[in-house]
Amino acid sequence: MTPQHFVSRLELAAQKDAVRWARRHARDVLSIWRVPSDHIETATLVVSELVTNSVRHVSAATPATGPVRLALILRHRGTHLIVEVADPDVRPPVHQGLSAPSAESGRGLFIVESVSKEWGYYFPPTGGKVVWCMLALVGE
C-alpha cells in the first residue's frame, strides 16, 4: 500500500505581510487536513519563523529578488509534517543560538530547532535555497 501524502504550496511576495498570509494558509490547510490543533500551532510558529527569515534576508539581499515559496507536506499517513520555505537568496541560514532576551531578532532557527524533529537546508538546482524542518505529529 502506498503511503498517503498531501502537499500544499503558496507563493508570496517577499514583503512583511507575507508572514501573516503564510500563517493563515498553514492554519487553513492543516485544519482541512485534520491535523490536531496543538500541532497546527507548532507548525504555524515554524512557518512564521521561516517565512520571516526569508522575507528579511531576501529584502536585504542584492541582487536576490523574487518570491518566497512555502510548501507544507503531510507524509507517512499523517505522522510527519514537512515545512519548506524557498527563497532566491543563496546565503545559507545562520543559526545564532539562543539570543539575549532583549534581542528583537535572532531566535528563529533556535525556535525551529527546538520544536522540530530535524531541520536543514539545501540549494536546489533552480537557484536560491530551501530551509526545511520536519515536525512529528504523533508521539515517538
Side-chain angles (χ1 to χ4, degrees), residues 10-23 46-62 64-70 85-89 91 129 131:
L10 179 65
E11 186 170 299
L12 299 156
Q15 55 194 35
K16 287 185 179 185
D17 68 346
V19 178
R20 176 173 45 102
W21 288 109
R23 281 194 307 258
V46 165
V47 165
S48 181
E49 295 299 334
L50 293 179
V51 173
T52 295
N53 286 349
S54 283
V55 168
R56 181 174 289 135
H57 294 106
V58 168
S59 299
T62 307
T65 59
V68 171
R69 293 181 176 91
L70 168 67
V85 176
D87 65 52
D89 189 1
R91 295 174 295 178
K129 73 173 170 303
V131 181

Side-chain angles (χ1 to χ4, degrees), residues 79-121:
T79 62
H80 292 85
L81 175 69
I82 298 171
V83 176
E84 295 182 342
V85 176
D87 65 52
D89 189 1
V90 295
R91 295 174 295 178
V94 177
H95 188 309
Q96 297 179 8
L98 186 56
S99 298
S102 60
E104 292 185 20
S105 65
R107 289 185 284 280
L109 289 177
F110 177 79
I111 292 169
V112 170
E113 182 178 60
S114 68
V115 299
S116 301
K117 183 175 178 180
E118 57 185 299
W119 77 277
Y121 66 94

Side-chain angles (χ1 to χ4, degrees), residues 1 4 8 12-13 17 20 30-31 36-37 39 44 46 53 63 79 97 101 103 107 111 118 121 123 127 130 132 139:
M1 182 179 274
Q4 190 174 17
S8 176
L12 299 156
D17 68 346
R20 176 173 45 102
L30 297 177
S31 292
S37 62
H39 294 299
T44 302
V46 165
N53 286 349
T79 62
R107 289 185 284 280
I111 292 169
E118 57 185 299
Y121 66 94
F123 300 104
V130 176
W132 62 271

